[in-house]
Amino acid sequence: MTRIGTSDLDVLPLSLGGNVFGWTADRDTSFAVLDTFVDGGGDFIDTADSYSAWVPGNEGGESETIVGEWLASRKPAGVVVATKVSQHPQFRGLSAANVRKAAEASLKRLGIDEIDLYYAHFDDETVPLEETVSAFGGLVEDGLVRHIAVSNYSAERVREWVAIARRLGVALPVAVQPHYNLVHRNEVEDTIIPVAEEFELGLIPYYSLASGFLTGKYRSTDTAGQASPRAQGAAKYATEAGLRIIGALEEIGDAHGASIAATSLAWLRAQPTVVAPIASARTVEQVPDLLAGARLELSDDEVQRLDRVSEWAPSRA
């Protein structure tokens, strides 16, 4: 188990992404994925109030609703639920009033009394940061939220948030969620990890498998015939340099009897401050690989080899 920052939340070092629930995984499939995840020892679920508003016919909140129905049906013990605010079509931005209304709506959809970890999903510079920080602090004080976190914030804005929270005497963030994986490294390693170390924040990366590229499934930039809506985003990495990363992951994984995906997640877990990479599963069959990634331990030499082979990553240019 791994502690999320300075919080009292201890989790298996893997977060199941709920972005596919109500999108590429219907209710029954989502229930089956969640069952398999928890049966395998998983206990950390990541969603957002905006998932999956981008799907025609959806309004946002579909993922939270599915997770809430599953929680009510299964009543699992010790499961940590994280969700986010700022992108739902009816609750955009981070004004104090919006944060409060969005949190109450998320609680209703999830069917719970308190959100374990509540993120500011994207920075909203149209609202004074002090207003947002105070609003999040109020949610903790009123018992609607246990701990707060930030997602897609710059290091500078994280520092500002912490300084304001200290001055106001309200809850400090315990985690930060950036886009981070073997093919997207530089921004996080140069700026976000140092601020996470400075303030003892747990790093919870999203796009941990680069939209599926780091599963080894996409080995060509040609997406013709690919049914997955994520194929375009994944296949863009299937260059000669990108495929060298896949080759190294495959070789190292084979030495452990592990998949490319599990090995990629294990590399992420080995990085400073990383607590629990987020990875989603559209099918039950994908879940064991993700759980394996939460338990696989790479040697220092293996981590360093993957560091070297991924130095080409676009974000390192």
Side-chain angles (χ1 to χ4, degrees):
M1 303 296 282
T2 306
R3 180 68 60 89
I4 299 177
T6 57
S7 77
D8 58 354
L9 303 174
D10 284 309
V11 295
L12 185 80
L14 174 75
S15 182
L16 182 66
N19 60 313
V20 297
F21 301 155
W23 177 27
T24 54
D26 62 18
R27 182 182 184 276
D28 289 346
T29 301
S30 300
F31 270 44
V33 165
L34 286 160
D35 287 342
T36 304
F37 178 68
V38 171
D39 289 347
D43 59 0
F44 187 17
I45 301 167
D46 180 271
T47 185
D49 65 356
S50 59
Y51 299 163
S52 48
W54 56 85
V55 178
N58 284 3
E59 298 178 351
E62 287 77 17
S63 174
E64 287 183 332
T65 298
I66 288 173
V67 171
E69 291 174 353
W70 176 82
L71 290 170
S73 172
R74 304 302 196 257
K75 297 178 173 58
V79 168
V80 172
V81 177
T83 191
K84 313 177 190 76
V85 56
S86 82
Q87 298 299 295
H88 189 286
Q90 295 177 8
F91 303 103
R92 289 200 179 276
L94 293 174
S95 69
N98 188 70
V99 167
R100 172 69 59 153
K101 290 177 182 177
E104 291 171 349
S106 287
L107 285 165
K108 184 176 180 179
R109 285 189 292 265
L110 290 165
I112 56 179
D113 296 325
E114 189 176 42
I115 297 166
D116 295 310
L117 188 63
Y118 199 45
Y119 287 92
H121 199 168
F122 284 88
D123 196 356
D124 180 2
E125 296 191 15
T126 69
V127 175
L129 189 54
E130 182 167 331
E131 178 179 339
T132 300
V133 172
S134 179
F136 272 77
L139 294 177
V140 175
E141 291 170 4
D142 293 344
L144 278 68
V145 168
R146 289 177 66 186
H147 299 284
I148 64 172
V150 296
S151 174
N152 298 297
Y153 271 61
S154 68
E156 178 182 350
R157 292 285 278 180
V158 173
R159 287 192 175 91
E160 288 181 29
W161 185 304
V162 171
I164 292 169
R166 286 175 172 170
R167 176 166 53 81
L168 295 178
V170 299
L172 295 169
V174 300
V176 57
Q177 185 176 123
H179 174 187
Y180 185 35
N181 55 52
L182 269 166
V183 294
H184 191 275
R185 293 175 51 191
N186 189 54
E187 178 184 1
V188 175
E189 292 175 3
D190 290 351
T191 66
I192 303 301
I193 286 178
V195 82
E197 291 176 322
E198 181 180 352
F199 298 119
E200 298 181 88
L201 304 175
L203 201 75
I204 304 176
Y206 71 89
Y207 282 162
S208 298
L209 296 174
S211 299
F213 173 69
L214 293 171
T215 66
K217 178 180 177 181
Y218 304 97
R219 303 200 186 208
S220 169
T221 55
D222 183 3
T223 58
Q226 291 284 357
S228 172
R230 289 187 165 191
Q232 194 70 44
K236 67 183 180 184
Y237 297 115
T239 61
E240 182 179 346
L243 294 178
R244 282 199 293 270
I245 294 177
I246 297 299
L249 286 167
E250 191 166 32
E251 186 174 327
I252 292 169
D254 285 347
H256 291 274
S259 69
I260 292 171
T263 308
S264 183
L265 292 171
W267 175 85
L268 258 183
R269 286 178 36 244
Q271 304 311 303
T273 74
V274 170
V275 173
I278 300 169
S280 56
R282 297 186 290 115
T283 67
V284 167
E285 290 74 22
Q286 294 171 337
V287 177
D289 271 354
L290 306 186
L291 291 170
R295 298 181 171 98
L296 175 61
E297 299 295 334
L298 302 181
S299 69
D300 289 343
D301 286 346
E302 289 168 334
V303 171
Q304 290 166 13
R305 178 183 174 190
L306 290 170
D307 286 344
R308 291 192 299 271
V309 78
S310 62
E311 286 179 347
W312 70 275
S315 61
R316 300 195 67 79

